[in-house]
Amino acid sequence: KARKESGFSVSDRIRMRWQANQALSALLHRFQDKIKHEVLCTDLSVQEAAQTPTSQAPSIQPTVSAAAPCHRFSLDALQGMVVLEQLP
């Protein structure tokens, strides 16, 4: 969904960079190949972020340029952010 909302076409090569709390980070590592296949990305990296209380929005900053599409989400205790960027 984030790929489509960012305006990327199926032929675009993209990189996904995740910053997530410990629980989400573990899931992303476990299902990394499946996620890459489903999203059609060439690279997926995961960086663990500081734990944030579930009542607060994640305070995670993107690791790529400010021009890159960025999607934040919070799903119960699984807080994280994904940055999608198009590769040349």
Side-chain angles (χ1 to χ4, degrees), residues 30-46:
R30 181 175 178 189
F31 296 105
Q32 182 173 359
D33 291 336
K34 176 74 172 170
I35 295 167
K36 285 173 60 176
H37 175 76
E38 290 295 322
V39 178
L40 302 174
C41 69
T42 58
D43 181 46
L44 185 149
S45 61
V46 180

Side-chain angles (χ1 to χ4, degrees), residues 13-61:
R13 295 177 352 138
I14 64 167
R15 175 184 317 162
M16 294 182 76
R17 294 180 189 224
W18 285 87
Q19 290 182 323
N21 68 12
Q22 187 177 17
L24 181 55
S25 181
L27 288 171
L28 290 167
H29 283 293
R30 181 175 178 189
F31 296 105
Q32 182 173 359
D33 291 336
K34 176 74 172 170
I35 295 167
K36 285 173 60 176
H37 175 76
E38 290 295 322
V39 178
L40 302 174
C41 69
T42 58
D43 181 46
L44 185 149
S45 61
V46 180
Q47 178 182 2
E48 195 168 308
Q51 192 76 14
T52 342
T54 57
S55 61
Q56 297 178 4
S59 59
I60 303 168
Q61 300 302 315

